[in-house]
Amino acid sequence: MKLAIIGAGNVGGTLGTAWAHKAGHEIFFGVTDPKSDKTQALVRTLGGKAQAGTAAEAARFAEMIVLTTPWQAAEAAIRAMRDSLGDLTGKILLDATNPLAMGPDGLQLAIGHSISAGEKVQGWAKGASVFKTLNTTGFANMASPIFDGVKSVMFVAGDDTANKPKVLKLVGDLGFEAIDAGPLRNARLLEAHAMLWIDLALSRGQGRDWAFAILRR
Ligand SMILES: NC(=O)c1ccc[n+]([C@@H]2O[C@H](COP(=O)([O-])OP(=O)(O)OC[C@H]3O[C@@H](n4cnc5c(N)ncnc54)[C@H](OP(=O)(O)O)[C@@H]3O)[C@@H](O)[C@H]2O)c1
């Protein structure tokens, strides 16, 4: 599948590498400076499976777009795609951002009770089908989501039930147990869930080498 990954940092670089290597997907990184040494080095490691350009060029290339910019850059990145493509009708957009801001006690969610980043992204990305996913664990776990044979979980929230199986499959290609978490408004739950991972990892001594999984009986 042709994938646009907007941002090529910790999350974007890890996802692009994993999807190219594990599932043979074709990656187009959409970044502010496609010629930067860092982006060019990343593209080289993926051989013929990856290229880099602007966010708009990446979006034009791909069926699915994965948003991995800092939250503060998300609206501008989406606007750059819309300015060039018109609207984003027909595109599936996976939103991996978390709306983090520094508060009096450290990192916290900047929004959450009555609106989520996922819903804001849907408002900006007119025409696209937005799914909230790939935000609830650390980037290194996106490269290695299986712990002693147990798949860690990755939730997918979105309103487009027709395209949701495609998104679940793409998330599953990484090695996660991909779980349908309901409509896009449940991004409010997934962003709070991400905050729990971040708090435990960065402030409660758990470190980054663990993830949530589902146990059943
Ligand atoms: N880090 C994690 O473990 C983790 C896990 C889950 C979710 N998240 C979320 O994922 C997002 C990215 O996190 P990260 O750690 O990958 O951040 P990062 O390493 O700082 O990478 C962000 C990337 O976005 C690019 N970017 C910035 N503005 C852009 C724009 N307008 N258009 C296109 N690309 C742009 C940056 O390029 P430049 O470097 O050139 O500015 C960089 O490549 C955040 O929203 C974060 O909350 C992070």
Side-chain angles (χ1 to χ4, degrees), residues 10-28:
N10 295 319
V11 174
T14 301
L15 289 175
T17 301
W19 273 319
H21 285 160
K22 292 182 183 177
H25 295 308
E26 290 176 65
I27 310 297
F28 200 131

Side-chain angles (χ1 to χ4, degrees), residues 1 3 15 19 25 63-66 90-96 128-134 154-182 184 190:
M1 184 172 301
L3 302 175
L15 289 175
W19 273 319
H25 295 308
E63 299 157 49
M64 292 208 197
I65 304 167
V66 187
K91 302 288 184 186
I92 294 171
L93 194 159
L94 281 60
D95 169 30
S129 281
V130 174
F131 292 87
K132 187 85 206 182
T133 189
L134 295 168
M154 185 51 63
F155 298 105
V156 175
D159 296 333
D160 178 357
T161 50
N163 279 311
K164 199 176 271 183
K166 259 193 199 175
V167 179
L168 289 163
K169 166 81 171 62
L170 189 67
V171 169
D173 285 347
L174 295 167
F176 286 109
E177 178 174 8
I179 296 282
D180 181 354
L184 187 62
L190 298 190

Side-chain angles (χ1 to χ4, degrees), residues 45-120:
T45 64
L46 297 181
K49 279 287 176 196
Q51 55 190 310
T54 64
E57 286 167 345
R60 189 169 289 108
F61 163 87
E63 299 157 49
M64 292 208 197
I65 304 167
V66 187
L67 183 66
T68 74
T69 65
W71 170 239
Q72 290 73 10
E75 185 176 5
I78 292 168
R79 195 179 315 113
M81 292 187 266
R82 283 191 54 197
D83 283 351
S84 176
L85 273 68
D87 67 16
L88 296 177
T89 299
K91 302 288 184 186
I92 294 171
L93 194 159
L94 281 60
D95 169 30
T97 67
N98 282 310
L100 303 179
M102 198 50 78
D105 301 317
L107 273 181
Q108 62 181 36
L109 290 176
I111 52 173
H113 288 291
S114 54
I115 188 85
S116 59
E119 291 160 284
K120 287 222 168 233

